[in-house]
Amino acid sequence: DDRVLLVVDEASMISPRRRADAERSPYEKILLIGDPFQIPPVLSRAEEAESGEDYSVFSDLRGPRLEKVMRAGGAVLSAATEVRGMRRIPIESLEAGGSRYDYAETRSAEGAVAAAIGDFLDDPDGHTLITWRNDVRVAANQEIRRRLGHAAALPEPGEPLVVRRNAHRWRLMNGDVVLFLEDEGEGPELAGIVTRWFLVRTEVGREIHLLAPVGDFSGVLPYVGLVTWKRALREADVREDTVVPLTYAYCLTCHLAQGSQYRRVTAFLPGDFRSPHFRKPTRLPDGSTMPFSHRWVYTALSRAVERAALVISR
């Protein structure tokens, strides 16, 4: 048995349940790599009650700590470092080292959304929008599709889609973006869930066939009891890791984007700074506190390699 070391990148996203799964694995040692300043993982109610809403896998671990953001450089790095190190969101545009950071405030929430979508449509290649609330993400994707001329409810060739659950068989993780190539027709109905076969291309160029739920194409797999779900898969002769919920990826939430990188990112917050939940203090693994808003902005900006922008409305 050569299972000696398990390396987990972006470990700041690990929940208590996932940590327990890793610790029960047959690996002799586990190496966790991640940035504790990023937004905390999404927890179930039971996990949050037991471990606290600020849970971090790094809280009770000791070892070397990340001192420098390596993904970005120049102005993007400067902006992200200012948020992380000084607990301050930069409000001046910067340009340095071949990269650029821009900051803008609008008078209304609608203005912030419109500005972000306009930036994306002016330069869409390798460009991703990031926002906080899922309803804003859904609305932004719908508006972008409308302005690009995609009238159908289901994807058309060339559209980016985001994977909404891990699919280890295909080496896909929740949050990975794939390119839609072709609708290959109806799939089996699984416990009342309508599906279709899609041909997609991954970021590394592999073409794979996925079975996606298409009821509202929100990327959410409707709840089905485990026994019922397993029986439906057996009857349809479908492997569970073939069923992969997908939805549009022009705009992502920060939790979906966490762990990925893009040439350009426009983060937009239409009125979110008015939310006490968005501004609430959170505790970092070193015992210090930092507003959730600043961890969110830091995580979003540090997804960019060449250019990052923050658009807000107060």
Side-chain angles (χ1 to χ4, degrees):
D1 194 337
D2 59 356
R3 289 178 287 190
V4 177
L5 177 65
L6 172 64
V7 180
V8 181
D9 194 14
E10 297 290 348
S12 61
M13 302 168 66
I14 292 179
S15 67
R17 178 183 173 185
R18 296 304 179 196
R19 178 179 180 176
D21 289 343
E23 291 175 344
R24 285 194 298 266
S25 72
Y27 291 90
E28 295 179 15
K29 296 181 180 180
I30 301 173
L31 175 61
L32 302 175
I33 304 170
D35 184 347
F37 282 79
Q38 291 185 16
I39 52 178
V42 177
L43 306 182
S44 67
R45 290 184 178 179
E47 288 175 318
E48 188 172 300
E50 182 176 345
S51 305
E53 61 183 359
D54 294 334
Y55 171 81
S56 171
V57 72
F58 298 112
S59 295
D60 59 353
L61 300 179
R62 297 294 176 265
R65 294 192 177 276
L66 176 71
E67 299 293 339
K68 182 179 180 180
V69 180
M70 302 301 294
R71 174 180 288 111
V76 174
L77 173 61
S78 296
T81 301
E82 184 170 334
V83 180
R84 184 180 190 269
M86 301 181 183
R87 286 14 181 211
R88 184 174 66 203
I89 295 174
I91 60 173
E92 294 182 354
S93 295
L94 305 169
E95 191 162 6
S99 71
R100 182 177 177 86
Y101 164 75
D102 291 297
Y103 174 86
E105 287 191 28
T106 65
R107 294 183 178 181
S108 67
E110 295 78 10
V113 175
I117 290 176
D119 281 351
F120 175 84
L121 293 173
D122 286 343
D123 179 22
D125 292 340
H127 188 175
T128 295
L129 301 185
I130 299 178
T131 195
W132 180 43
R133 300 196 314 267
N134 191 58
D135 61 328
V136 176
R137 178 193 70 82
V138 171
N141 279 316
Q142 290 174 342
E143 177 62 14
I144 289 170
R145 295 192 73 238
R146 185 188 70 79
R147 293 178 62 174
L148 290 175
H150 298 305
L154 294 181
E156 300 178 18
E159 291 201 85
L161 307 176
V162 60
V163 174
R164 295 301 309 272
R165 65 177 291 185
N166 296 342
H168 299 295
R169 176 186 181 187
W170 307 113
R171 299 195 296 278
L172 290 173
M173 303 297 289
N174 185 13
D176 283 349
V177 174
V178 297
L179 190 70
F180 179 75
L181 298 180
E182 185 178 352
D183 184 334
E184 298 183 311
E186 293 182 359
E189 185 173 306
L190 302 172
I193 300 173
V194 177
T195 68
R196 295 189 73 83
W197 286 102
F198 289 161
L199 177 65
V200 302
R201 181 183 297 132
T202 69
E203 292 178 321
V204 296
R206 289 184 298 115
E207 295 188 3
I208 56 179
H209 306 269
L210 300 178
L211 190 60
V214 294
D216 59 3
F217 207 67
S218 64
V220 176
L221 186 64
Y223 174 76
V224 176
L226 183 59
V227 173
T228 301
W229 180 245
K230 295 286 188 183
R231 182 172 62 247
L233 292 172
R234 286 196 305 271
E235 291 174 352
D237 193 23
V238 170
R239 286 180 48 162
E240 184 172 11
D241 55 5
T242 298
V243 185
V244 181
L246 301 167
T247 191
Y248 298 105
Y250 301 104
C251 180
L252 304 175
T253 62
C254 202
H255 274 108
L256 280 173
Q258 194 175 3
S260 300
Q261 69 177 33
Y262 314 96
R263 179 186 67 86
R264 181 176 177 182
V265 165
T266 298
F268 66 106
L269 296 164
D272 296 311
F273 275 96
R274 295 194 294 270
S275 167
H277 184 67
F278 188 65
R279 301 193 317 271
K280 69 179 180 180
T282 60
R283 186 164 299 279
L284 296 165
D286 63 5
S288 65
T289 60
M290 189 177 191
F292 176 83
S293 57
H294 287 54
R295 293 176 73 175
W296 191 97
V297 171
Y298 167 69
T299 305
L301 296 183
S302 58
R303 302 306 93 202
V305 175
E306 296 179 6
R307 189 169 181 180
L310 177 61
V311 182
I312 71 171
S313 67
R314 295 286 185 179

